[in-house]
Amino acid sequence: MIDPVLEQTGRYLKLLEELDLRLVKVIDTHIHADHVSAMGRLRDATRCVTVMGEQSPADFVSMRVGDNEKIGIEGLSLTALHTPGHTSESYSFLMNDRVFTGDTLLIRGTGRTDFQNGDPYDQYHSLFDRLLKLPEQTLVFPAHDYKGDTVTTIGEEKAHNPRLQVGSAEEYAELMNSLNLPNPKMMDVAVPENLRLGLRMDAQARVRAHPAEDILMNWPATEFRLVDLREESERRRDGVIPGSLHMPYDKFAAFCGASGELRQVAERKPVVLYCAVGERSTLAVEIAVEAGITNVGHMPGGFRYWKTVGGPVEFYGPSIN
Ligand SMILES: [Fe+2]
């Protein structure tokens, strides 16, 4: 799910149930100023992974992606495109014949560039050097449309979007800087809320916590087994804690199954789970305990915090993105 809205959470959950779908990832294209994101609520309800671009100022996001990195979802693949301009951390996501453009490219419009580190020159390049270079028949799904339209194409927007009928970045900036739009009504509420949707350290610490500092005091860890929940791409990109096992979060329920690997490991030694920032590991502890595996805890703050307290890191292979 991309750019879900808090007030619609009930509708999303009902639809997931009706269609018998499991929500595995929620992506916000940027920090929204006009609505509060449903990302946090959906994570709490479904234990999905929250995703944003690496430039996002949000405090805790389960998984961050950089420009041109891939996001895998059960056989589907989305490519993250950093398309700043509306905000400095705006991303678009390309999937085969379609692109999800957030507020960068709208239907017959483009996202305003006058707050949240917006920049019309950046946006011009995001539009003309990236999105508009996609094949003309590419379907475009923006974050929203206040008129009720849902989809357009790159070709249609090139021909009919009034904001795109400019000859240079300067001309585009002049156009954007002359809009004089009022601030969104929700802005003062939505922006601060959207910056802190994550499961923060205090909440993470309430769930069977093994602080990184404690682990390092008795390093190398022989009393328990560290298990990494991150995806292969994150491990290759950021490195791993030496000696840890790998059980990716998207298959975590299977690892907790009757003959699952986590169950087997936990029978021999206590297990300490970790992920990127501690969100997935908090949720995974709940999943393990519900499956009857009680010998499991996690490391609050995840790999990010581990690095800040000087924990050892090992790199083991070339990046796969
Ligand atoms: Fe926006």
Side-chain angles (χ1 to χ4, degrees), residues 35-56:
H35 67 266
V36 177
S37 167
M39 205 156 76
R41 189 76 64 83
L42 287 167
R43 175 205 57 229
D44 294 343
T46 68
R47 292 179 177 146
C48 64
V49 174
T50 59
V51 183
M52 284 195 86
E54 62 186 0
Q55 292 84 354
S56 170

Side-chain angles (χ1 to χ4, degrees), residues 1-5 12-13 15-16 23-28 38 42 73:
M1 215 174 271
I2 303 177
D3 290 329
V5 177
Y12 304 139
L13 294 175
L15 198 59
L16 287 167
L23 185 61
V24 291
K25 284 190 174 121
V26 172
I27 305 172
D28 265 3
L42 287 167
I73 302 160

Side-chain angles (χ1 to χ4, degrees), residues 201 210-221 224 226 230 238-244 272-278 299-314:
M201 284 289 262
H210 295 263
E213 292 90 340
D214 293 359
I215 295 172
L216 279 171
M217 257 191 284
N218 295 299
W219 191 258
F224 52 82
L226 278 162
R230 294 170 304 158
D238 300 331
V240 301
I241 299 179
S244 54
V272 177
L273 305 170
Y274 75 95
C275 58
V277 295
M299 187 175 78
F303 192 75
R304 182 172 74 177
Y305 188 70
W306 175 258
K307 280 195 297 186
T308 66
V309 294
V313 173
E314 172 178 278

Side-chain angles (χ1 to χ4, degrees), residues 8 27 41 61 71 90 103 134 152 161 190 192 197 248 263 309:
Q8 302 292 335
I27 305 172
R41 189 76 64 83
V61 180
I71 302 171
S90 284
D103 289 352
L134 294 169
T152 180
N161 189 324
L197 290 169
R263 193 175 291 274
V309 294

Side-chain angles (χ1 to χ4, degrees), residues 272-286:
V272 177
L273 305 170
Y274 75 95
C275 58
V277 295
E279 270 209 358
R280 276 171 277 181
S281 59
T282 304
L283 302 170
V285 169
E286 295 174 5

Side-chain angles (χ1 to χ4, degrees), residues 30-34 86-87 103 116 144:
H30 63 290
I31 297 289
H32 296 282
D34 56 353
H86 170 56
T87 67
D103 289 352
Q116 289 180 285
H144 52 66

Side-chain angles (χ1 to χ4, degrees), residues 63 69 228 230-241 246 274 303 307 313-321:
M63 190 175 168
E69 279 188 35
D228 186 356
R230 294 170 304 158
E231 298 186 7
E232 190 61 20
S233 56
E234 298 173 279
R235 288 158 52 82
R236 299 261 182 128
R237 183 187 68 196
D238 300 331
V240 301
I241 299 179
H246 183 211
Y274 75 95
F303 192 75
K307 280 195 297 186
V313 173
E314 172 178 278
F315 288 88
Y316 72 100
S319 174
I320 53 174
N321 262 311

